[in-house]
Amino acid sequence: MWGSVWIWMVVSVGCASGFLLFRRVKLPVSGKPGAGDKRVTVIIPARNEESNLPHLLDSLMEQTVRPHEIIVVDDLSTDRTREIAESCGVSVIAGSPLPEGWTGKNWAVWNGYLRASGDILVFLDADIRLAPNALASLLRARERSGGVVSVVPYHRTQKLYERLALVFNLLGAFAFTSPFERNNPRKGLYGSCIVAAREDYEKIDGHESVKSEVLDDLLLGSKFREAGIPTANYLGYRLVSFRMYPQGIRSEIEGFSKGAVLSTSTLNRWTVVCSAAWTAGLLVSESALLMVFTPWALPLAIGYVLYTVQLLYLMRYVGFFGIVVPLIHPLAALFFLIVMLYSLYQVAVLGRVRWKGRDVRVGSGRKR
């Protein structure tokens, strides 16, 4: 009896924590330009992005508000990234070897900024895809916020291994929509899509102020807040999306593991507690598959169904994950656990993380 009571408590508290953390703060749709007579520069750091870059550049060409300039920083790519960017007629900056103390993406973004002439800076990862009115909506949201905005893109998956990111994507949405982060002085930004006024960016010394950090986007948000500049995070939903790791499951594991453990350090403790409660409830409910012939089978089965319904509801706003993974969510949970353990190993044992062929020391930003 007491076992069933504890199961009910863990599962119910977990489900409730998920609904508490998640807020449908979708990027407001706007067809009107939000930059006025200000020039807009889009900066795209790109390292071996030949499969992603065409989608982003094509979507930028179809915007209802056209940017003043588009700068692609070719970060020492070994594929056709530079060739593709040049064929689209955008400005291309050739990457250079990393100076001491810089991480790759920060150095690429910083070089893009040094060449930018716009009054509004839009930083986009190469895997981003924009709806035709996305840029107008981003600019209007920044204007209304009076500060800096970032967007958690809608994850458009195609292959099964990509859909295993379901738990990671939901926890990411929790972290950026959590009501506990509203007044967090260390509130982060989502680095895939950030919009800032040049004067605000320069006020904090931009990416140079976080040049050695793996979690540059999270720490960049705290720099803006320290400077008294408001920050706001939104869900991309139907406006801003991405396909994160089309290159294969290895890149997916590297991508999520580089910040899986470290990212919790900037969150409000109640966000962390509620996220842990949600994850614990999820894992407990999934033990139903192992407890079929025990007295706890019924409460565990009900918990499994409750979490399945919640996942199907939440993923409508977070990404497309098909129907198989949400229904058989232990697959996504197992992937989550494997990546978390690998991330912990990299941080605690190796003292470095690996991303796009580079080893970066945790906290030092020095390439090995």
Side-chain angles (χ1 to χ4, degrees):
M1 176 182 175
W2 284 109
S4 297
V5 171
W6 278 106
I7 290 171
W8 280 115
M9 287 181 61
V10 173
V11 171
S12 59
V13 170
C15 268
S17 296
F19 285 121
L20 174 62
L21 290 172
F22 185 77
R23 292 291 181 271
R24 291 184 298 172
V25 285
K26 297 179 290 185
L27 180 66
V29 179
S30 176
K32 300 179 180 179
D37 58 352
K38 296 181 179 180
R39 296 174 299 178
V40 177
T41 295
V42 175
I43 299 173
I44 306 166
R47 179 174 172 86
N48 295 334
E49 295 286 2
E50 65 177 7
S51 62
N52 282 319
L53 197 56
H55 298 287
L56 172 56
L57 295 180
D58 287 346
S59 68
L60 281 169
M61 300 303 173
E62 297 173 355
Q63 292 301 298
T64 56
V65 175
R66 296 290 295 272
H68 168 69
E69 63 182 347
I70 300 171
I71 298 175
V72 173
V73 185
D74 176 24
D75 185 14
L76 304 178
S77 298
T78 57
D79 63 2
R80 297 177 57 250
T81 293
R82 183 185 180 94
E83 179 184 337
I84 289 170
E86 289 176 337
S87 69
C88 292
V90 301
S91 299
V92 182
I93 299 175
S96 58
L98 291 180
E100 189 73 10
W102 284 82
T103 62
K105 180 181 177 181
N106 288 334
W107 178 239
V109 172
W110 183 248
N111 277 277
Y113 152 73
L114 293 176
R115 286 277 297 273
S117 62
D119 307 298
I120 304 294
L121 305 176
V122 181
F123 302 99
L124 299 177
D125 281 359
D127 56 7
I128 290 291
R129 304 177 186 189
L130 303 174
N133 56 343
L135 187 55
S137 300
L138 286 166
L139 296 173
R140 178 64 68 180
R142 193 217 66 84
E143 182 183 53
R144 290 175 177 171
S145 74
V148 181
V149 301
S150 78
V151 172
V152 182
Y154 183 89
H155 192 185
R156 297 191 180 279
T157 65
Q158 294 183 18
K159 299 180 179 179
L160 176 61
Y161 78 84
E162 297 175 74
R163 294 171 184 175
L164 295 177
L166 173 61
V167 173
F168 274 111
N169 284 143
L170 286 175
L171 287 171
F174 290 164
F176 285 94
T177 65
S178 167
F180 302 116
E181 298 304 311
R182 197 167 297 147
N183 298 314
N184 182 0
R186 303 182 69 191
K187 178 181 177 181
L189 297 170
Y190 200 91
S192 294
C193 178
I194 297 175
V195 184
R198 173 186 283 272
E199 58 184 333
D200 290 339
Y201 185 75
E202 293 176 345
K203 190 174 182 179
I204 65 163
D205 296 324
H207 281 76
E208 186 176 32
S209 67
V210 294
K211 63 183 181 181
S212 66
E213 302 294 343
V214 177
L215 303 178
D216 54 284
D217 48 356
L218 297 180
L219 296 173
L220 201 64
S222 65
K223 294 285 184 181
F224 281 116
R225 291 180 74 86
E226 286 173 11
I229 299 168
T231 61
N233 295 316
Y234 296 96
L235 296 174
Y237 195 43
R238 296 178 178 175
L239 292 173
V240 181
S241 63
F242 56 14
R243 185 182 175 199
M244 296 184 76
Y245 303 111
Q247 301 89 349
I249 193 169
R250 180 177 178 178
S251 65
E252 183 174 37
I253 292 173
E254 284 188 354
F256 282 117
S257 67
K258 67 183 170 70
V261 171
L262 294 173
S263 60
T264 60
S265 63
T266 64
L267 297 175
N268 178 282
R269 62 183 177 183
W270 286 110
T271 299
V272 175
V273 168
C274 290
S275 295
W278 181 83
T279 305
L282 175 70
L283 296 176
V284 167
S285 75
E286 290 170 344
S287 67
L289 301 178
L290 304 174
M291 301 289 183
V292 176
F293 301 109
T294 70
W296 307 300
L298 180 59
L300 286 172
I302 294 174
Y304 190 97
V305 172
L306 287 175
Y307 261 95
T308 301
V309 171
Q310 186 182 55
L311 291 173
L312 290 170
Y313 168 74
L314 294 178
M315 76 178 197
R316 294 169 53 202
Y317 304 98
V318 175
F320 174 78
F321 299 94
I323 194 66
V324 174
V325 171
L327 292 179
I328 314 178
H329 47 80
L331 291 175
L334 179 61
F335 178 76
F336 167 77
L337 291 175
I338 291 172
V339 174
M340 288 298 292
L341 289 173
Y342 179 54
S343 179
L344 183 62
Y345 170 72
Q346 289 185 98
V347 173
V349 179
L350 301 181
R352 67 179 188 273
V353 296
R354 185 165 183 80
W355 178 232
K356 292 198 173 182
R358 289 177 172 138
D359 287 340
V360 182
R361 292 189 182 277
V362 176
S364 72
R366 295 182 181 180
K367 184 184 71 169
R368 291 192 60 184

